[in-house]
Amino acid sequence: MKEAFDFLTSQESVFNDIVKQYGLPTIPSRPPGFETLVLLILEQQVSIDSAKATYLRLREKAIAFTPEKLVVFSEEDFRSAGVSRQKTKYIIGLSQTIINKKINLESLSQKTASEVREELIKINGIGHWTIDIYLMFALQASDIIPIGDIAVVNTIKELFDIHTKDEIRSFTEKWSPYRSHATFLLWHHYLNKRNRKISYNY
């Protein structure tokens, strides 16, 4: 980790300023597997706090948080936990995919980021943002820049005056092979500037 941040702060004075002002960010970690993917589905397009509350209600109902358990939940079970109809479909679809052995989540840790993306993108409801965060948090991939993350994009616009996603992709190539750590610095700035704290571990 030190090597990554040393590299980034030597590359960008802005990163050096962030570390001087706020210190080093915490590297978030979540266990790989089904439960984390469900949690990431719940976090799509809502606040972390809102997703956390929904997840905890669902967790109480499920007890054994497995595909076999959730796939037999009724729509009412999901709705009473606060899960939207669309996300209910995504979670049931993910559960069925695993039960039917169309994907082996345990094998993903042995694959490259590109291979993981190729497998997960086939599952309805799992897009590139979800895959990026899963790679970073659960598989500890070191070279991910989640272009679909609003906080990351807005912070890059603010700090570097770069505005299109194509420009962002091109500009951030110089942060490779530590673009995930650059992302953590960007989130660190975003949250601290707004005096917000987030716990990624539920």
XYZ file of all heavy atoms in Angstrom, residues 41 86 89-91 93-94 97 120-127:
122
model
N -25.563 -4.640 -5.260
C -26.806 -4.402 -6.000
C -27.681 -3.420 -5.222
O -28.253 -2.488 -5.794
C -27.552 -5.733 -6.259
C -26.807 -6.558 -7.316
C -28.993 -5.478 -6.698
C -27.349 -7.973 -7.489
N -37.195 -3.882 -9.007
C -36.118 -4.113 -9.959
C -34.944 -4.837 -9.306
O -34.404 -5.815 -9.851
C -35.639 -2.787 -10.545
C -34.714 -2.918 -11.741
C -35.437 -3.470 -12.958
O -36.425 -2.914 -13.404
N -34.965 -4.578 -13.493
N -35.578 -8.501 -8.661
C -35.325 -9.322 -9.850
C -33.836 -9.605 -10.020
O -33.440 -10.719 -10.362
C -35.861 -8.615 -11.095
C -37.370 -8.553 -11.184
C -37.806 -7.832 -12.452
C -39.325 -7.750 -12.532
N -39.758 -6.986 -13.741
N -33.016 -8.591 -9.775
C -31.569 -8.764 -9.908
C -31.036 -9.791 -8.909
O -30.217 -10.647 -9.252
C -30.845 -7.435 -9.692
C -31.109 -6.373 -10.722
C -30.858 -5.032 -10.438
C -31.618 -6.676 -11.988
C -31.088 -4.030 -11.376
C -31.853 -5.692 -12.930
C -31.585 -4.367 -12.614
O -31.816 -3.383 -13.543
N -31.497 -9.682 -7.662
C -31.004 -10.578 -6.609
C -31.458 -12.018 -6.868
O -30.682 -12.967 -6.715
C -31.466 -10.088 -5.217
C -30.777 -8.762 -4.883
C -31.163 -11.130 -4.144
C -31.358 -8.045 -3.675
N -32.214 -13.242 -9.807
C -31.471 -13.692 -10.987
C -30.060 -14.120 -10.649
O -29.571 -15.150 -11.148
N -29.388 -13.344 -9.793
C -28.045 -13.707 -9.344
C -28.077 -15.028 -8.591
O -27.230 -15.910 -8.807
C -27.479 -12.603 -8.447
C -26.172 -12.906 -7.716
C -25.031 -13.153 -8.699
C -25.819 -11.765 -6.753
N -28.498 -17.886 -11.016
C -27.263 -18.096 -11.781
C -26.264 -18.932 -10.994
O -25.610 -19.824 -11.546
C -26.637 -16.740 -12.161
O -27.563 -16.007 -12.969
C -25.345 -16.929 -12.939
N -19.044 -11.547 -14.891
C -20.091 -10.891 -14.107
C -21.026 -10.045 -14.962
O -22.211 -9.903 -14.643
C -19.465 -10.030 -12.999
C -18.801 -10.783 -11.850
C -18.216 -9.798 -10.844
C -19.793 -11.711 -11.156
N -20.525 -9.482 -16.049
C -21.344 -8.588 -16.867
C -22.502 -9.336 -17.519
O -23.501 -8.730 -17.934
C -20.474 -7.866 -17.938
C -21.162 -6.597 -18.443
C -20.150 -8.803 -19.090
C -21.300 -5.509 -17.440
N -22.406 -10.655 -17.596
C -23.473 -11.469 -18.191
C -24.700 -11.563 -17.285
O -25.785 -11.948 -17.738
C -22.957 -12.882 -18.480
C -21.835 -12.949 -19.515
C -21.297 -14.372 -19.611
C -20.094 -14.458 -20.537
N -19.503 -15.820 -20.535
N -24.536 -11.234 -16.014
C -25.628 -11.376 -15.050
C -26.476 -10.106 -15.062
O -25.958 -8.998 -14.867
C -25.076 -11.639 -13.636
C -24.218 -12.916 -13.645
C -26.218 -11.781 -12.632
C -23.480 -13.155 -12.343
N -27.761 -10.254 -15.281
C -28.670 -9.110 -15.320
C -28.630 -8.341 -13.998
O -28.743 -8.929 -12.922
C -30.098 -9.603 -15.580
C -31.053 -8.456 -15.840
O -30.681 -7.427 -16.413
N -32.297 -8.620 -15.424
N -28.439 -7.031 -14.109
C -28.403 -6.197 -12.907
C -27.007 -5.930 -12.385
O -26.831 -5.146 -11.454
N -26.013 -6.583 -12.963
C -24.624 -6.330 -12.556
C -23.918 -5.639 -13.716
O -23.628 -6.248 -14.740
C -23.907 -7.636 -12.159
C -24.580 -8.217 -10.916
C -22.420 -7.387 -11.917
C -23.895 -9.444 -10.354
N -23.693 -4.348 -13.537
C -23.036 -3.551 -14.564
C -21.602 -3.229 -14.182
O -21.062 -3.769 -13.207
